[in-house]
Amino acid sequence: SGGVSVFVREHIAQRTWEVARVGDPVGCETLWLRIQSAFPDGRDMLLGACYCSPQISTVYRSADGSGVAGRDIPEAVFGSITGSLDRLRQGNDKVVITGDLNVRIGNLDERNPDNVINGGYLEALQHPRVSHDEGTNAFGRRLVTACRECGLFVVNGRVAGDQPAAHTFLSDELG
């Protein structure tokens, strides 16, 4: 794929370090950073910057025919991300996963009612996401499952100025 980069502002550089680079399966790369005391309450941020090739990419298959089989690709990709998150998350870390995951989640609701913050959802999370893109794909459905399992939320389409969420990519080829 080409790699993942994260630029860090100078004033937090001394509190930021790389905790892992994950390139498995081939076609999915995640750079994990920890930002110490990133929030006023002193909690750290665990930041996962990801790039996942589209599910239809041939990168998931190696030249010798081995690699991840078609319908197993979403599980391999998001299993790798959530497995890394489980392994790297410490205590009360706040987690941000960002990047290009090549997902389409339409208007699926990724919120898990069991995952509440301070007795309730944050204000922005109390309302369902709304997106111009109503389509879904297997990567998107697996991301929604990962969010529910890991207590994560999608911000796109939920915060002021991004309601409804605009398309982030358009292509006649990929639909």
Side-chain angles (χ1 to χ4, degrees):
S1 348
V4 174
S5 298
V6 175
F7 295 89
V8 177
R9 293 186 77 97
E10 192 172 326
H11 74 277
I12 64 169
Q14 292 183 351
R15 296 182 291 122
T16 304
W17 63 93
E18 179 182 321
V19 292
R21 285 181 196 229
V22 181
D24 184 48
V26 170
C28 177
E29 299 176 48
T30 306
L31 174 61
W32 291 96
L33 302 177
R34 177 169 300 285
I35 304 171
Q36 185 179 20
S37 301
F39 296 93
D41 64 5
R43 287 196 275 179
D44 292 355
M45 176 191 290
L46 181 61
L47 173 70
C50 303
Y51 175 76
C52 300
S53 297
Q55 183 176 351
I56 62 171
S57 174
T58 57
V59 73
Y60 293 110
R61 293 185 301 274
S62 58
D64 65 3
S66 64
V68 182
R71 67 181 167 279
D72 296 333
I73 295 170
E75 183 56 40
V77 166
F78 291 96
S80 174
I81 293 169
T82 59
S84 296
L85 174 59
D86 289 345
R87 191 177 68 255
L88 299 171
R89 186 185 253 174
Q90 298 175 358
N92 289 326
D93 285 347
K94 291 192 177 190
V95 176
V96 174
I97 297 177
T98 187
D100 184 353
L101 303 175
N102 278 297
V103 301
R104 293 183 70 195
I105 61 173
N107 290 310
L108 296 176
D109 191 353
E110 82 294 356
R111 298 171 300 169
N112 181 338
D114 296 332
N115 297 326
V116 293
I117 302 168
N118 298 328
Y121 288 116
L122 294 174
E123 177 62 30
L125 300 175
Q126 291 179 3
H127 308 287
R129 295 177 58 257
V130 180
S131 176
H132 283 298
D133 182 3
E134 296 180 2
T136 63
N137 64 11
F139 272 21
R141 291 185 294 277
R142 183 58 181 91
L143 174 66
V144 165
T145 299
C147 286
R148 290 179 184 155
E149 293 170 350
C150 298
L152 302 175
F153 304 94
V154 176
V155 177
N156 295 32
R158 193 173 267 136
V159 296
D162 191 32
Q163 298 170 322
H167 290 87
T168 58
F169 178 77
L170 297 173
S171 170
D172 290 334
E173 283 184 35
L174 300 177

